[in-house]
Amino acid sequence: MTNREIHVRFCELGKESRRIVNELVAMLPEIARLEIFKDYGCASVYEYACKYAGLSYAVVQKALWVEEKLVEAPKLKEALREVGVHKVALFATLANAQNDAALADKVKHMSKPALQELSKELRGNATPKMTIDLDAELQFLFNKIKKQLGIESDQEALKAIFKAHLEQKDAMKQSHKKVQNIPGDEKSKNKKQLSEAKNAADTQPTKSHPIKAPSGEHISVSRYIPAKIRKEAISKTNGKCTYPTCIKTFENLHHQDYFAHTHNHQNLVPLCKVHHEYAHNGLIQGENPQLTLSNETNYYDELYRKARR
Ligand SMILES: [Zn+2]
Ligand SMILES: [Zn+2]
């Protein structure tokens, strides 16, 4: 077997093994309810699950707990067979008859980190807060700069200070680059362009679209986002993920109005990986992203969801 063949076989078996474990776990509540374990020399369902399937105490406990919690969420319970108990358990205390279908859809299509974030947010624990103690010297400096800036609000003043600092750093970087721009550096430049283009790839990996401009002439809009437009989009949030409560640096530029449909680079939204998943799973809609637990996805979202699986 070649290395590639070994790897492919390993992944196939891994997938199969996860499917089997999910099936076994889904059977546990019934085994417990009917006390089937007693007929086979076991004192509890825990002992039975360990003896006959090698399942750990923690997994059995989770499976029984989830079963108990999901009485009003049959769709989410059913999804357990497909995605396993761990993803479903994240929503066990949140699920109800109203959100059952939406949550079942999310556990089937989203990654574990994104689901963890969603669960946190639905429980109201997602707003980050940071407290910094300022000693006398720092308070003096802060008040002095605030006065110079003429800004009353502490938050607005801090924003202005940080922004000025970043802009200054950017300007320094730019002038440094100009000095360093020596011939023979093409290779690294190409590499950078490639990674930028990859990052920019959103819903559909299309190279270029000849489209008709309003004036009548044909123009070609490339999937590659020009540096200027890219920079504009990122500067709107200073490189932060656009999602209001997120403190991560953006990782993807998301086409809010679906690139493949409109062929332009307007409405580019910088998002981290997790919130990009939100966007393609019907959780973020509109210009200013707020969480909506909906199942509204379009054709391009479906492409994204398929590619992720
Ligand atoms: Zn996207
Ligand atoms: Zn984010």
Side-chain angles (χ1 to χ4, degrees), residues 181-220:
N181 208 352
I182 40 167
D185 202 26
E186 277 305 301
K187 211 174 154 192
S188 70
K189 199 177 150 202
N190 285 345
K191 215 171 154 190
K192 193 173 162 252
Q193 278 182 347
L194 195 75
S195 84
E196 277 182 359
K198 219 171 135 193
N199 198 19
D202 203 345
T203 39
Q204 249 186 339
T206 330
K207 265 197 180 138
S208 83
H209 308 262
I211 55 163
K212 215 167 184 187
S215 56
E217 87 261 43
H218 283 271
I219 53 164
S220 180

Side-chain angles (χ1 to χ4, degrees), residues 202-203 253-255 276 279-280 304:
D202 203 345
T203 39
L253 279 179
H254 170 65
H255 283 96
H276 194 204
H280 285 294
Y304 175 96

Side-chain angles (χ1 to χ4, degrees), residues 195-249:
S195 84
E196 277 182 359
K198 219 171 135 193
N199 198 19
D202 203 345
T203 39
Q204 249 186 339
T206 330
K207 265 197 180 138
S208 83
H209 308 262
I211 55 163
K212 215 167 184 187
S215 56
E217 87 261 43
H218 283 271
I219 53 164
S220 180
V221 180
S222 158
R223 187 89 214 146
Y224 171 72
I225 302 167
K228 191 173 162 266
I229 293 178
R230 191 182 148 79
K231 221 178 149 191
E232 266 171 27
I234 298 165
S235 72
K236 272 189 261 174
T237 60
N238 296 310
K240 180 182 113 42
C241 166
T242 312
Y243 198 74
T245 57
C246 186
I247 56 169
K248 282 196 216 126
T249 303

